[in-house]
Amino acid sequence: MNINSISSKPSLSSAQIPAVIQVTAADESGGVRTVEITGEYPLTLYVDGREIVTLMTLGQMPEALSVGWLRNQRLVSSISDIEEVMVDWEVNSAAVYTRSGLVPLASKRTITSGCGQGTMFGDLLEEVQEVNFVRSHSLTATALAQLLEDIRNRDTVYKSAGAVHACALAFFDGIGCAIQIFVEDVGRHNAVDAIAGWMWINDVEGADCVFYTTGRLTSEMVVKCAQMKIPYLVSRSGLTRMGYEIAVATGLTMFGRAVNRRYLLFTGGKHFVPER
Amino acid sequence: MNINSISSKPSLSSAQIPAVIQVTAADESGGVRTVEITGEYPLTLYVDGREIVTLMTLGQMPEALSVGWLRNQRLVSSISDIEEVMVDWEVNSAAVYTRSGLVPLASKRTITSGCGQGTMFGDLLEEVQEVNFVRSHSLTATALAQLLEDIRNRDTVYKSAGAVHACALAFFDGIGCAIQIFVEDVGRHNAVDAIAGWMWINDVEGADCVFYTTGRLTSEMVVKCAQMKIPYLVSRSGLTRMGYEIAVATGLTMFGRAVNRRYLLFTGGKHFVPER
């Protein structure tokens, strides 16, 4: 995986905000205890001074989230179009400056079912077609199991406070999977978008990558993975009919119910080497 | 709970579509098996002939979902404004006819973190304030445990195919909780919206009701519950900081991590009678 530094890399802030806060709660025994709950913060995105959207986020990668949201909404067509992303939690804002403005909005939008109603432009779903995924090697069951183990061993917000989804991007070198980036967010799609932003910011292509999500594989998740040209998609959860159909149409190799050494391989099996 | 038939009740279709489909998948042992996966269908909402949005849904209560989405987006201010809802799965459309058109859209929208990016108008979050909840009785731990047991015993899409969230509306009569409506959807917010629509269609108020969700209590979930004036909110999952703050501000009685006889009571405890 080549992480090049591109000349036109945007200038980014590195804003920080707590991932969890403590509150008291009474349990069934009547005992009052301190419980950690997940942070959730509004982040209002301004592009070239114009307010675009407010995302509710865990806020751990706000710059990447801002970039990735613009990427996945296809409002910006290249990272080189982004000059600067400045996040300021004092005012819950992300100020994005572009070199050439936003791609004009499609008139039609589809509110998709990212465990609720994510946003995505409708034409995207109509454009689903075979994707030219780059796989230098076929993923092995051993590498998949090791990836799931690495993810399970992480110290996560989920373990302390729950109420988040996690996504990870790993690179498969033919032997093992190395996690490049791991993101948790209150929004399943925020986590995906943050990874999409991180990939752009670091000039990382989807080739030979494995995308892991704790979230369900609904249409939008699968479309985003295909858009990022990531050949392998792995979920701890289940999938939907449209997620399945999009995976088939694009040629994605998709696993559901992947926990420890268990998984269900739904699509793209010719690029996977099961345990012997 | 009075379910009146109101004179201006809209005329509704009763469209049906399969909740699960079967596909084949290979498991870790290499065995190929038939697996049920969750239905997900686009439902394009047309209001008075104008295309508004496409929701991706499990499609089990499309008429109620259409009404509830319009209600929770505050595009329609009363059920009496809705004349007809006709869903046709042949063309994946819901044709809604109003008596007086839609409430003008707020200019600002907030994309909230309904496990992704739900839609809600931003001014709503700014309007959060104490809600005049009607509680004829304080909920008891016994009634809560029985409600959780009733939900656990349901035959659900989740059990067969996963990848859905469930919501239920129950009425508490001072002794026990009776489930009025139970909805599953690929979108957590779709399930909530379908219940909001069902309540409007059946002229059900939130007084003395308990709202159950498998989903996380993010800001949007709590706001929607408060909007429906439902005094008790119960989740199998965790909650976020904003969900917590909104529950405190509105006076909602909110439980998280509610499974079997276990729960965490986070807010509004003065309206709850724990086990003695």
Side-chain angles (χ1 to χ4, degrees):
Chain A
M1 164 188 273
N2 59 324
I3 302 189
N4 316 322
S5 65
I6 47 178
S7 55
S8 55
K9 203 160 176 168
S11 121
L12 304 170
S13 58
S14 55
Q16 307 280 318
I17 199 156
V20 298
I21 66 162
Q22 294 192 328
V23 299
T24 57
D27 63 22
E28 61 284 351
S29 70
V32 173
R33 54 164 120 151
T34 300
V35 177
E36 285 194 323
I37 64 173
T38 309
E40 182 188 16
Y41 308 92
L43 180 67
T44 300
L45 203 53
Y46 296 86
V47 177
D48 300 326
R50 176 174 149 228
E51 180 175 342
I52 301 295
V53 70
T54 298
L55 302 171
M56 310 300 291
T57 175
L58 182 63
Q60 299 310 288
M61 287 178 66
E63 296 84 7
L65 171 61
S66 303
V67 170
W69 188 84
L70 291 169
R71 175 186 184 178
N72 283 341
Q73 295 295 321
R74 305 197 306 175
L75 294 172
V76 172
S77 49
S78 156
I79 185 65
S80 60
D81 295 341
I82 297 177
E83 197 159 11
E84 185 179 73
V85 180
M86 291 294 145
V87 173
D88 180 355
W89 284 123
E90 292 295 309
V91 289
N92 294 102
S93 74
V96 178
Y97 294 95
T98 67
R99 290 191 167 77
S100 49
L102 294 182
V103 173
L105 291 173
S107 61
K108 176 180 166 193
R109 55 191 312 145
T110 299
I111 307 289
T112 54
S113 55
C115 192
Q117 299 146 341
T119 61
M120 178 175 282
F121 298 107
D123 56 351
L124 198 150
L125 284 177
E126 285 147 27
E127 274 172 24
V128 168
Q129 58 192 359
E130 193 163 354
V131 174
N132 193 5
F133 293 113
V134 176
R135 299 174 177 95
S136 308
H137 330 270
S138 286
L139 185 65
T140 64
T142 309
L144 176 59
Q146 164 245 316
L147 171 61
L148 296 174
E149 176 71 4
D150 290 353
I151 286 164
R152 197 174 60 76
N153 291 333
R154 292 206 158 222
D155 176 28
T156 61
V157 171
Y158 185 80
K159 286 176 185 169
S160 65
V164 291
H165 273 296
C167 288
L169 183 76
F171 180 70
F172 177 58
D173 63 6
I175 297 151
C177 292
I179 295 173
Q180 305 299 312
I181 183 73
F182 179 89
V183 188
E184 291 182 289
D185 206 305
V186 291
R188 177 171 61 131
H189 290 282
N190 289 345
V192 180
D193 291 348
I195 286 182
W198 179 90
M199 290 173 74
W200 256 13
I201 290 164
N202 295 288
D203 194 25
V204 171
E205 302 289 335
D208 294 316
C209 286
V210 180
F211 193 93
Y212 171 85
T213 173
T214 57
R216 297 155 310 131
L217 299 171
T218 52
S219 52
E220 188 170 1
M221 295 294 287
V222 181
V223 164
K224 284 179 175 177
C225 191
Q227 270 187 296
M228 295 189 272
K229 297 200 169 186
I230 299 169
Y232 297 101
L233 175 56
V234 180
S235 171
R236 190 180 69 191
S237 305
L239 65 157
T240 67
R241 173 185 147 271
M242 285 194 67
Y244 178 85
E245 287 172 355
I246 294 164
V248 169
T250 55
L252 192 66
T253 301
M254 186 167 74
F255 302 83
R257 307 257 169 242
V259 181
N260 302 327
R261 302 192 77 82
R262 306 200 59 190
Y263 60 79
L264 288 173
L265 169 62
F266 282 98
T267 66
K270 66 181 172 183
H271 301 289
F272 179 71
V273 182
E275 212 73 67
R276 258 169 304 281
Chain B
M1 164 188 273
N2 60 323
I3 303 189
N4 316 324
S5 64
I6 47 176
S7 56
S8 55
K9 202 160 177 168
S11 122
L12 304 171
S13 57
S14 55
Q16 306 280 318
I17 200 157
V20 298
I21 66 162
Q22 294 191 330
V23 299
T24 58
D27 64 22
E28 62 283 353
S29 71
V32 174
R33 53 164 119 149
T34 301
V35 178
E36 286 194 323
I37 63 173
T38 309
E40 182 187 17
Y41 308 93
L43 181 66
T44 301
L45 202 53
Y46 297 86
V47 177
D48 300 327
R50 176 172 150 231
E51 180 175 342
I52 301 295
V53 70
T54 298
L55 303 171
M56 309 300 290
T57 175
L58 182 63
Q60 299 310 288
M61 288 177 65
E63 296 84 7
L65 171 60
S66 303
V67 169
W69 189 84
L70 291 169
R71 176 186 184 179
N72 282 340
Q73 295 295 322
R74 305 196 307 176
L75 295 172
V76 172
S77 50
S78 155
I79 185 64
S80 60
D81 295 342
I82 297 177
E83 196 159 11
E84 185 179 73
V85 181
M86 291 296 144
V87 173
D88 181 355
W89 284 123
E90 293 293 311
V91 289
N92 295 103
S93 74
V96 178
Y97 294 95
T98 67
R99 291 192 167 77
S100 48
L102 295 181
V103 173
L105 291 172
S107 62
K108 176 179 165 193
R109 54 190 311 139
T110 299
I111 309 289
T112 54
S113 56
C115 192
Q117 299 148 342
T119 61
M120 177 176 283
F121 298 107
D123 57 350
L124 196 149
L125 285 176
E126 286 148 27
E127 275 174 23
V128 168
Q129 58 192 358
E130 193 162 358
V131 174
N132 194 4
F133 293 113
V134 176
R135 299 175 178 94
S136 307
H137 331 269
S138 286
L139 185 65
T140 65
T142 309
L144 175 60
Q146 163 245 317
L147 171 62
L148 295 174
E149 176 72 4
D150 290 352
I151 286 165
R152 198 174 61 74
N153 291 332
R154 291 206 158 221
D155 176 29
T156 60
V157 171
Y158 185 81
K159 286 175 185 169
S160 65
V164 291
H165 273 295
C167 288
L169 183 75
F171 181 71
F172 178 58
D173 64 4
I175 297 151
C177 291
I179 295 173
Q180 305 300 311
I181 182 74
F182 178 90
V183 187
E184 291 181 291
D185 206 304
V186 291
R188 178 171 60 130
H189 290 282
N190 288 345
V192 180
D193 290 348
I195 286 182
W198 180 90
M199 290 172 74
W200 255 14
I201 290 164
N202 295 288
D203 195 24
V204 171
E205 302 288 336
D208 293 317
C209 285
V210 180
F211 193 93
Y212 171 86
T213 174
T214 58
R216 297 155 309 133
L217 299 172
T218 52
S219 52
E220 188 170 2
M221 294 295 288
V222 180
V223 164
K224 284 180 174 177
C225 191
Q227 270 186 296
M228 296 188 272
K229 297 201 167 184
I230 299 170
Y232 298 101
L233 175 56
V234 180
S235 171
R236 191 180 68 191
S237 305
L239 65 157
T240 67
R241 172 185 148 271
M242 284 193 68
Y244 178 83
E245 288 173 353
I246 294 164
V248 169
T250 56
L252 193 65
T253 300
M254 188 167 72
F255 302 83
R257 307 259 170 241
V259 181
N260 301 329
R261 302 192 77 82
R262 306 199 59 189
Y263 60 79
L264 287 173
L265 170 61
F266 283 97
T267 66
K270 66 182 172 181
H271 301 290
F272 180 70
V273 183
E275 212 73 66
R276 258 172 303 282

